[in-house]
Amino acid sequence: MREANTEAPFVSFDQVSLAYDGSGNAIEDISLTVEEGEFVAFVGPSGCGKSTFMKLCTGLHPPTAGSVRVDGEPVTGPLKISGMAFQNANLLPWRTTLDNVLLPLEIVRPYRSQFRKRRTEFVGWARDLLRTVGLEDYEEQFPWQLSGGMQQRASICRALIHRPRLLMLDEPFAALDAFTREELWCVLRDLWESQRFTVVLVTHDLREAAFLADTVYVMSRRPGRIIERRTIDLPRPRELAITYGEPFTTLVQSLRKQIGEIRGT
Amino acid sequence: MQLSEKSRQRIAPWAAVVILVMIWEATVRLLDVPEFIFPGAWATAQALVTFAGPIGVHSWQTFWTTMVGFGIGVVVGLVLGFIIGSSKFLYHACYPLLVGFNAIPKVAFVPILVVWFGIGSVPAILTAFLICFFPIVVNVATGLATLEPELEDVLRVLGAKRLDVLLKVGLPRSLPYFFASLKVAITLAFVGTVVSETVASNQGIGYLMMSAGSQMRMALVFAGLIVISAMAMVMYELFAQLEKRMTAWAHRGQR
């Protein structure tokens, strides 16, 4: 399926800084690499430039200094191989769930030119995705008829429908209640286990980061720098139950302590 | 007999009309106002029946000129609104100009239009157009300009072009604004046509009222008023229904 590119990392940041205006850098001197198929999470206190990192990675914003490369190519504009889900589901209210999920296929090449011809096939893809997240009975409903959790599931389906190699998640579960959140962790875990796309997850939930990711980056306060890279070597597939036992709790504790120190300074 | 809340709501506007007509007739009779000053509801109804033929001919004239003017207004309003709303720069550049234009009383254009096109249907159509396109432009432009950046980002991360964003998000989102403006525009278009007809035409309800007034046949004048407002109400209701059907997603709270 995918060309295994073992030479260069899939995503690489080389001394990247970004300043929106004269008020100083939002993020500063970020250097890191993400391998294809890796699940990385970024945690840090609020306002540390996590969302800025996202914008750089997807090409929504160019860096002020340094370079960002994805799949060996320097990022110059919005990426075509990425899908993104936000804190708010941002579903279009005039489209049904199914049509919302199909939206990227109407935009992204090469699907957009084939959209009419292959519509039935594409609808099949969307149905399959919606089934895996448990929304098969809500295809024809409009977004306002869905609960917050369901909207977020649909939003993740939309981020995945065009089979992106890089999935960007910007605090996608932050607005949900604790039970729904944990449920969606498992949905995301299963999707990732079966398709192994690369995931960049930005979150302020340490348990979420530790449960889902291979690597957790801890960011400092503004200007955001990476102050710690931690590999999570818990065996996979991970069950939700591990989040309530050792060594998971110790791990989260130490991350928690680190963030506390940043906030304290 | 107990009426349900729903049927009471349906009857209410008709009841209001009946009560208003009764107050009108009663006032005229009690104060003994002569018919050539202020005719009562009954006299007006009689005039409506007696002159049904001429009223029909002139209303048809008013109706089609209004619809043509309104049609042009919708097309121009949509295009202008789309252009102005799709760019922040143009929005800021053109908005004061539009407001200034809208402040000019449209009746002031009629003499100019008469010089250019002579009297008849053309000035009426153009006056209807001039008066009704403004709310459409403003609504469509506002609908596009107030697009949430989050919705835009959804498409932008996929590498969507500006035009994609406008067609997939901007346009559908501004449809409720557009349909709301149609309801305002259609009633304004009737105002424009009738104003022009009273000044510069020998056809249409406006002309009919003008000439009937000069002969002190006030019942006929009032019959003309009733016909105009009836036409405007019917068209308004039509567009209100259209709005409900086309943009149900935006009215979800009212179901």
Side-chain angles (χ1 to χ4, degrees):
Chain A
M1 290 271 291
R2 287 170 195 145
E3 306 138 59
N5 194 344
T6 46
E7 310 278 306
F10 185 54
V11 178
S12 76
F13 274 58
D14 186 20
Q15 296 179 320
V16 173
S17 300
L18 176 81
Y20 283 108
D21 43 45
S23 64
N25 287 334
I27 64 171
E28 201 165 80
D29 196 22
I30 300 232
S31 297
L32 59 90
T33 60
V34 180
E35 298 302 324
E36 176 126 48
E38 192 178 353
F39 197 133
V40 300
F42 287 79
V43 296
S46 59
C48 69
K50 289 174 298 203
S51 296
T52 304
F53 176 80
M54 285 305 219
K55 285 186 179 163
L56 283 168
C57 202
T58 46
L60 274 184
H61 230 291
T64 321
S67 75
V68 180
R69 298 171 82 87
V70 173
D71 200 24
E73 300 284 318
V75 175
T76 50
L79 293 175
K80 289 175 187 67
I81 56 161
S82 75
M84 190 160 179
F86 306 82
Q87 179 172 345
N88 299 316
N90 286 335
L91 300 174
L92 305 181
W94 52 87
R95 283 171 171 249
T96 59
T97 308
L98 187 68
D99 284 335
N100 261 297
V101 173
L102 285 170
L103 179 71
L105 298 176
E106 296 170 31
I107 304 290
V108 178
R109 258 174 266 275
Y111 305 111
R112 66 180 294 159
S113 52
Q114 309 160 353
F115 190 76
R116 243 166 253 185
K117 230 188 297 166
R118 292 175 64 189
R119 198 185 152 95
T120 11
E121 185 187 345
F122 290 166
V123 168
W125 294 3
R127 291 227 160 100
D128 288 344
L129 262 178
L130 285 168
R131 194 174 323 113
T132 51
V133 302
L135 281 182
E136 63 271 31
D137 295 331
Y138 298 90
E139 288 167 1
E140 296 306 322
Q141 307 269 313
F142 285 91
W144 76 83
Q145 296 167 310
L146 305 181
S147 69
M150 290 178 181
Q151 290 188 22
Q152 204 52 263
R153 287 165 203 246
S155 159
I156 290 170
C157 290
R158 179 175 63 185
L160 289 172
I161 185 76
H162 56 295
R163 305 183 172 174
R165 291 165 62 196
L166 175 61
L167 177 65
M168 311 286 294
L169 300 171
D170 191 355
E171 303 191 14
F173 313 126
L176 305 174
D177 65 87
F179 294 110
T180 314
R181 195 180 307 157
E182 292 184 349
E183 220 172 279
L184 288 198
W185 290 354
C186 298
V187 167
L188 179 59
R189 174 199 62 197
D190 296 341
L191 281 168
W192 181 78
E193 294 280 358
S194 64
Q195 298 181 31
R196 289 288 171 151
F197 35 78
T198 310
V199 185
V200 175
L201 168 72
V202 162
T203 179
H204 54 239
D205 185 335
L206 302 176
R207 293 179 59 233
E208 179 175 306
F211 175 64
L212 288 167
D214 297 316
T215 316
V216 174
Y217 290 93
V218 181
M219 289 179 82
S220 71
R221 275 210 299 205
R222 191 183 166 108
R225 291 161 168 272
I226 299 217
I227 52 168
E228 162 105 24
R229 175 183 193 276
R230 195 176 289 220
T231 311
I232 313 288
D233 40 20
L234 299 169
R236 288 188 186 272
R238 297 172 188 163
E239 290 306 320
L240 195 60
I242 67 157
T243 66
Y244 296 100
E246 292 297 341
F248 190 85
T249 37
T250 317
L251 175 74
V252 173
Q253 277 291 354
S254 72
L255 282 171
R256 172 81 188 74
K257 201 164 150 241
Q258 209 156 23
I259 300 229
E261 279 163 15
I262 306 166
R263 283 164 59 90
T265 52
Chain B
M1 192 178 72
Q2 280 290 345
L3 286 173
S4 70
E5 182 66 23
K6 214 172 178 185
S7 49
R8 269 203 306 205
Q9 266 188 18
R10 199 168 302 157
I11 292 170
W14 297 101
V17 169
V18 171
I19 290 170
L20 183 71
V21 168
M22 271 161 32
I23 293 174
W24 174 16
E25 182 68 20
T27 315
V28 171
R29 283 185 188 227
L30 282 175
L31 300 178
D32 203 16
V33 187
E35 201 190 299
F36 64 89
I37 307 255
F38 185 21
W42 179 243
T44 306
Q46 279 179 317
L48 260 177
V49 175
T50 316
F51 300 103
I55 289 176
V57 171
H58 288 292
S59 341
W60 169 246
Q61 166 75 18
T62 300
F63 180 76
W64 79 257
T65 43
T66 304
M67 291 319 285
V68 173
F70 173 72
I72 302 172
V74 170
V75 173
V76 172
L78 253 182
V79 172
L80 261 182
F82 195 75
I83 294 170
I84 293 173
S86 59
S87 137
K88 254 205 174 79
F89 179 74
L90 281 176
Y91 189 78
H92 285 296
C94 299
Y95 210 90
L97 214 62
L98 275 170
V99 172
F101 174 79
N102 190 48
I104 303 171
K106 298 304 170 299
V107 67
F109 281 110
V110 178
I112 303 171
L113 295 174
V114 170
V115 172
W116 288 350
F117 302 104
I119 64 163
S121 309
V122 181
I125 290 171
L126 290 178
T127 316
F129 153 65
L130 285 173
I131 204 167
C132 82
F133 87 98
F134 181 76
I136 302 176
V137 174
V138 170
N139 270 280
V140 173
T142 308
L144 286 174
T146 56
L147 178 61
E148 295 91 340
E150 294 81 27
L151 289 187
E152 216 177 314
D153 275 352
V154 170
L155 292 207
R156 289 224 305 146
V157 289
L158 298 168
K161 302 259 175 334
R162 235 193 121 55
L163 190 68
D164 285 329
V165 176
L166 277 176
L167 291 179
K168 299 279 181 201
V169 186
L171 208 59
R173 209 200 80 106
S174 63
L175 273 187
Y177 293 82
F178 171 65
F179 281 106
S181 74
L182 288 190
K183 293 189 298 186
V184 180
I186 186 66
T187 49
L188 284 176
F190 274 105
V191 172
T193 310
V194 173
V195 157
S196 172
E197 282 168 354
T198 52
V199 182
S201 183
N202 43 22
Q203 295 168 84
I205 290 285
Y207 165 75
L208 178 78
M209 283 163 59
M210 207 58 185
S211 58
S214 66
Q215 297 159 26
M216 301 300 268
R217 283 149 72 177
M218 290 302 271
L220 185 52
V221 178
F222 274 73
L225 285 181
I226 301 284
V227 169
I228 296 164
S229 58
M231 286 197 290
M233 278 197 288
V234 168
M235 293 313 290
Y236 181 94
E237 195 50 38
L238 202 78
F239 283 106
Q241 291 302 324
L242 192 69
E243 178 189 17
K244 243 189 215 161
R245 188 163 290 207
M246 299 292 288
T247 58
W249 59 270
H251 299 275
R252 56 189 186 257
Q254 289 149 32
R255 291 206 288 200

